[in-house]
Amino acid sequence: MTIREAMEKRHMVRKYKDTVLPEEIVKKLNERIEALNKEHHLNLVLHTEDGTAFAELIDKLITKNAKNFIILAADPAEGVEEKIGYCSADIMLYAQELGLNTWWVGASFNKDAVKKECPNHTVYGVISIGYGEEQGSVHHSKDDFEVCSYEGEAPQWFKDGVEYALMAPTAFNRQSFYIKGKGNTVHFEYKAGEFQGIDTGLVKYHFEAAAGKENFEWA
């Protein structure tokens, strides 16, 4: 599966099969998480066969068999929320390549229980992960002309970047970003508000993955 195929196939999935993650899959996920933590100075950690993060939602039938999750934690610092979003995109798309499904959760989880598992760092959210009962559905999306502009004729890499940026998950599916291009320089804006930094990281990762880092630089 290519990265573009992973972005196309990744959708929010809240209900999972009652299937234990194979040891080899857990090993691959932990290796990816370890690499992201080292590169971006984060404290992401995978928990398996642990339903505490979503116990209340399971009781309300909002989710099912949500017993594997990644805690998105780090020490507060400038730009850390964007790093959390960026690395969240990486791990969710990697999970998709491994045949798994995910759900990025910023509020609807048991914060007290999760904090006990990561007491020395700030928790910014969690990613539920597992084998979905189904593959999810395409979220409603804005049109590309609503979220971008390019000075002159836009090159294909820019068009591709915007197309796949719109596939990124954002809080409440707001897609409150605007991407402007000129030459090989790209300027990114995101409306101020809750999850602004995290959404910025999520969207930028998708843009980069489709546009190709070699084709542009962020302003």
Side-chain angles (χ1 to χ4, degrees):
M1 184 184 297
T2 66
I3 187 64
R4 289 193 180 191
E5 289 172 334
M7 289 189 284
E8 292 164 4
K9 294 178 181 296
R10 186 218 60 81
H11 306 298
M12 180 181 67
V13 173
R14 292 176 174 173
K15 296 185 178 182
Y16 303 89
K17 298 175 182 177
D18 188 13
T19 302
V20 176
L21 297 183
E23 289 185 12
E24 183 60 26
I25 293 294
V26 172
K27 179 182 177 182
K28 289 181 177 180
L29 289 171
N30 278 324
E31 288 174 349
R32 189 75 165 212
I33 289 169
E34 182 180 355
L36 291 171
N37 282 339
K38 184 176 181 179
E39 180 179 357
H40 299 279
H41 308 290
L42 303 178
N43 302 94
L44 315 184
V45 59
L46 172 66
H47 281 249
T48 60
E49 295 301 303
D50 179 358
T52 56
F54 301 105
E56 185 176 341
L57 296 182
I58 292 173
D59 290 342
K60 293 180 179 179
L61 304 180
I62 294 173
T63 187
K64 180 180 178 182
N65 293 320
K67 55 185 178 179
N68 307 298
F69 59 94
I70 298 167
I71 300 176
L72 305 170
D75 295 326
E78 184 178 355
V80 70
E81 292 187 10
E82 183 174 330
K83 290 182 179 180
I84 289 286
Y86 192 89
C87 293
S88 294
D90 183 275
I91 198 66
M92 287 191 292
L93 293 170
Y94 181 63
Q96 192 72 39
E97 293 173 358
L98 295 176
L100 299 165
N101 303 100
T102 55
W103 171 30
W104 201 102
V105 189
S108 303
F109 64 95
N110 189 328
K111 295 180 179 61
D112 291 336
V114 170
K115 182 63 179 176
K116 288 179 181 178
E117 302 295 336
C118 199
N120 299 320
H121 307 287
T122 299
V123 176
Y124 294 90
V126 298
I127 297 172
S128 178
I129 188 168
Y131 294 101
E133 288 190 342
E134 54 186 29
Q135 297 302 303
S137 57
V138 178
H139 62 247
H140 175 75
S141 180
K142 293 180 178 179
D143 291 317
D144 55 3
F145 65 83
E146 296 180 85
V147 300
C148 76
S149 63
Y150 189 89
E151 188 171 318
E153 183 177 352
Q156 191 60 46
W157 62 261
F158 184 82
K159 295 177 182 178
D160 291 344
V162 172
E163 177 185 354
Y164 284 85
L166 285 166
M167 296 181 190
T170 57
F172 310 108
N173 198 32
R174 290 190 184 118
Q175 297 184 320
S176 300
F177 62 88
Y178 198 83
I179 301 170
K180 294 187 287 189
K182 180 181 179 182
N184 68 338
T185 300
V186 178
H187 182 76
F188 186 93
E189 299 174 353
Y190 204 98
K191 184 178 180 180
E194 190 177 15
F195 299 110
Q196 175 189 3
I198 290 170
D199 283 355
T200 293
L202 286 162
V203 176
K204 278 188 171 182
Y205 187 98
H206 283 69
F207 184 93
E208 285 183 4
K213 292 181 181 180
E214 70 278 7
N215 291 316
F216 77 98
E217 59 183 22
W218 294 111

